[in-house]
Amino acid sequence: MSDTNGHYDAVVIGSGFGGSINALRLAEAGKSVLVLERGKRYKPGEFPRDVRDVDKLFWRYPKRAESKGLYDIRFFSGIAAVVASGVGGGSLVYANIHIRPDAVVFEDPRWPRAINRQSLDPYYDKVAKTLDIAPIPPEVKLVKRDVYRAAAEKMGRSVFDPDMAVKWGGPAENGREPCRLVAECEFGCQYGAKNTLDFNYLARAESLGARVRPGSHVTRIEPDGAGYRVHYKDVAGGAESSVTGRRVVLSAGTLGTNEILLRCRDVYRTLPNLSRRLGHGYSGNGDFLGSIQNSKTDLQPWVGTDVTSVIRYFDVAPQFTMAAPTFNKAVMEVIASLGQGDGKWVRPFASLLYPLMNWLTPLAFKKGLLSKPSKRPGPNAGDPARMTNLFAIGRDNANGMIRLKNGGIDIEWDYERENSALIGRQDAAMREVAGIYGGTYAPLISWSIFRRIITVHSLGGCHLSDSPEAGVVSVDGEVHGHPGLFVADGSVIPTAIGFHPVMTISAISERIAEAVVNSF
């Protein structure tokens, strides 16, 4: 399956869930496959831990050419978003949570009629098998899980332990060890215990001949004969190259995919037939963060996976779920020392400060302000052993707008006004949990000051649809008006999900991969 003069049967852009799934299924079908990934390849033990080394921690390329790290954090006009960069995409830093959403999620009319919980179940099954998902073994005793589940039961709420993509037991092999319960899932697992894509989908694709080219930043796509030419830049040396593919699968993540397509339509004009709905309907999946300090119980927050259990709030709209993620001891000590200020003294300057956050955030890390506990603890700061974060995931109205602006993309959205009912329910639920814990509660300081949520679940902008008037791609992921060009990642999801979304992104990517293979 070698390429001839840079030509492949399929060029896949991005190596996250959508890209890795498509790479494997195409390779299994005997197709020559090239995967272009902007980030580097990480092995267990290579993930950044010195938060002062911001060029290894943050991705800011090309604005800062030497900054090619793991986390891409961006503060947009209406929302802030965190995504990952590296071979394996978001799987490197997600919390391993795999949930099949309730059927009601797909009853929203923005979903094409062909896609529902029942039609996706076979694809959910494929994902579950490949990623070897299972809940935390019952013999693993975790204080933070027991306390959280007890709180749910006291509130009369349904609570469950979700499936996780984790190596729970067995011998160490191929540089991978079983989970050590060190609560570092979202920092990159140094022990290889996470079933990240580089260990399954992508590894199997490579064993079948697929090629992965890290450090390749895609700039544009253009028609070329019976396929497409993909232009990209080597992030190390800056050299520009291109390859062609009979099929191209764009899986650069919601932010990356929307930006590439917007540039192709509006700047390079290489894909002029793209739907006018491109960029419409962005969702942050209703992510809302808070914390509890000074719990009456020692929670041992650094023992376990980051997330253990999920509470349902699907009885009344707007619907959401909630987890209680915690991290390793060093991180919890820093977070706890910062306290829970309401930001009142900063709020008058919020409109001036917010546009600077893309610069201030890496600066704060570089200066070591977040590398160790604060010498001047903030309000309500307490024992880190008695602290937990709270993370609600809800069905927001998915009304954000992604646009090209000032050389990049921006997301415009009056989130607070349009989703006030959801925010109110999430905030009230967190306060109720805090009361049971006997601790003090506050939302994330970025909300208190700027009234902006920070999402790790960007969705939408390239919706699945029955027509170009309703979305960007068909129900099979093929771009309307551009045959042979497909999209498979979170950008095709037309609504918020209200659960951790990766299982649904993966199932839909499996469905699209089937269509891509059948298109040859």
Side-chain angles (χ1 to χ4, degrees):
M1 299 200 319
S2 61
D3 62 307
T4 303
N5 297 321
H7 178 75
Y8 294 80
D9 291 324
V11 177
V12 178
I13 302 169
S15 63
F17 288 93
S20 291
I21 288 170
N22 274 268
L24 173 58
R25 301 313 177 197
L26 284 158
E28 287 178 334
K31 306 302 180 183
S32 59
V33 181
L34 174 67
V35 179
L36 298 173
E37 165 59 48
R38 66 175 184 172
K40 62 170 287 187
R41 192 187 290 267
Y42 292 90
K43 296 179 181 178
E46 294 182 347
F47 292 99
R49 286 296 186 267
D50 182 357
V51 298
R52 296 166 298 181
D53 191 346
V54 294
D55 288 340
K56 289 185 178 179
L57 192 65
F58 296 120
W59 178 275
R60 289 184 286 166
Y61 181 93
K63 288 187 176 180
R64 181 177 171 83
E66 59 270 43
S67 187
K68 300 186 284 282
L70 182 60
Y71 300 96
D72 185 350
I73 302 177
R74 287 188 254 179
F75 292 83
F76 300 109
S77 295
I79 194 171
V82 182
V83 298
S85 180
V87 175
S91 75
L92 300 176
V93 298
Y94 81 135
N96 314 304
I97 306 300
H98 286 262
I99 301 173
R100 304 186 189 205
D102 293 356
V104 67
V105 171
F106 303 100
E107 294 173 6
D108 187 300
R110 288 172 289 185
W111 283 92
R113 285 173 294 179
I115 298 178
N116 52 51
R117 172 59 193 272
Q118 184 177 7
S119 69
L120 286 180
D121 269 336
Y123 303 104
Y124 283 126
D125 292 342
K126 293 181 74 173
V127 176
K129 181 178 180 181
T130 306
L131 294 178
D132 192 23
I133 63 174
I136 299 173
E139 65 270 18
V140 176
K141 304 303 179 184
L142 300 173
V143 174
K144 65 180 182 180
R145 176 179 60 179
D146 294 344
V147 174
Y148 191 61
R149 291 183 65 93
E153 291 165 8
K154 189 169 184 178
M155 294 184 296
R157 289 285 169 188
S158 170
V159 61
F160 64 98
D161 289 357
D163 285 333
M164 297 188 185
V166 172
K167 175 181 169 64
W168 293 116
E173 54 186 352
N174 300 321
R176 301 188 62 196
E177 301 179 31
C179 180
R180 291 193 177 189
L181 303 174
V182 294
E184 295 183 3
C185 307
E186 293 166 63
F187 306 147
C189 182
Q190 301 289 46
Y191 308 104
K194 295 177 62 171
N195 294 338
T196 52
L197 298 166
D198 49 329
F199 293 134
N200 39 73
Y201 277 105
L202 208 54
R204 286 168 53 183
E206 289 185 278
S207 73
L208 293 170
R211 297 185 177 185
V212 178
R213 194 167 292 170
S216 301
H217 183 71
V218 171
T219 55
R220 69 185 187 277
I221 305 165
E222 62 183 1
D224 188 289
Y228 293 87
R229 182 170 295 276
V230 179
H231 296 262
Y232 65 96
K233 184 178 289 187
D234 175 17
V235 302
E240 297 186 7
S241 303
S242 68
V243 292
T244 57
R246 293 171 60 195
R247 301 290 184 271
V248 169
V249 182
L250 184 49
S251 303
T254 294
L255 302 185
T257 290
N258 276 279
E259 182 167 2
I260 290 169
L261 290 180
L262 283 166
R263 289 187 185 281
C264 289
R265 187 189 69 184
D266 300 339
V267 178
Y268 301 113
R269 303 188 186 280
T270 55
L271 301 175
N273 296 326
L274 287 169
S275 168
R276 304 317 297 178
R277 295 297 300 172
L278 175 61
H280 290 256
Y282 169 87
S283 169
N285 206 31
D287 289 359
F288 191 82
L289 287 155
S291 68
I292 298 172
Q293 291 264 32
N294 307 301
S295 167
K296 61 187 177 184
T297 304
D298 182 336
L299 302 171
Q300 298 181 25
W302 37 77
V303 180
T305 52
D306 292 359
V307 173
T308 64
S309 307
V310 175
I311 301 176
R312 290 176 182 269
Y313 291 84
F314 260 61
D315 55 326
V316 177
Q319 298 159 323
F320 65 98
T321 55
M322 187 165 65
T326 57
F327 311 118
N328 66 21
K329 189 172 184 179
V331 171
M332 294 302 293
E333 287 175 343
V334 171
I335 296 175
S337 73
L338 297 176
Q340 298 175 312
D342 58 14
K344 287 183 178 179
W345 68 274
V346 182
R347 220 172 287 161
F349 310 101
S351 61
L352 297 175
L353 284 174
Y354 186 75
L356 301 175
M357 290 300 293
N358 287 309
W359 173 74
L360 290 173
T361 300
L363 179 64
F365 280 88
K366 185 175 183 178
K367 294 296 184 181
L369 300 181
L370 300 172
S371 62
K372 54 187 176 181
S374 175
K375 294 181 180 179
R376 296 182 179 180
N380 296 327
D383 181 357
R386 297 175 182 274
M387 182 196 169
T388 185
N389 301 295
L390 296 172
F391 183 25
I393 299 172
R395 298 183 68 189
D396 64 41
N397 70 342
N399 196 38
M401 179 69 192
I402 305 174
R403 301 182 187 275
L404 289 177
K405 185 177 180 181
N406 298 328
I409 57 169
D410 189 27
I411 300 175
E412 300 172 353
W413 196 3
D414 189 350
Y415 188 90
E416 180 181 17
R417 181 182 62 81
E418 296 180 24
N419 296 281
S420 59
L422 173 63
I423 296 164
R425 283 204 75 206
Q426 291 172 325
D427 184 73
M430 290 183 179
R431 292 181 187 278
E432 185 178 14
V433 174
I436 294 172
Y437 274 56
T440 57
Y441 160 77
L444 190 68
I445 193 70
S446 65
W447 176 258
S448 301
I449 296 174
F450 302 118
R451 316 307 283 180
R452 303 290 198 284
I453 67 165
I454 297 179
T455 182
V456 295
H457 296 141
S458 288
L459 304 171
C462 301
H463 291 178
L464 295 160
S465 60
D466 294 312
S467 71
E469 290 73 34
V472 177
V473 302
S474 73
V475 294
D476 292 326
E478 190 168 30
V479 175
H480 294 303
H482 292 282
L485 176 61
F486 292 80
V487 176
D489 57 24
S491 69
V492 306
I493 306 296
T495 69
I497 293 174
F499 292 87
H500 291 75
V502 69
M503 192 64 166
T504 298
I505 294 170
S506 300
I508 287 175
S509 294
E510 283 278 15
R511 188 180 189 278
I512 291 171
E514 189 174 86
V516 178
V517 169
N518 290 336
S519 73
F520 282 91

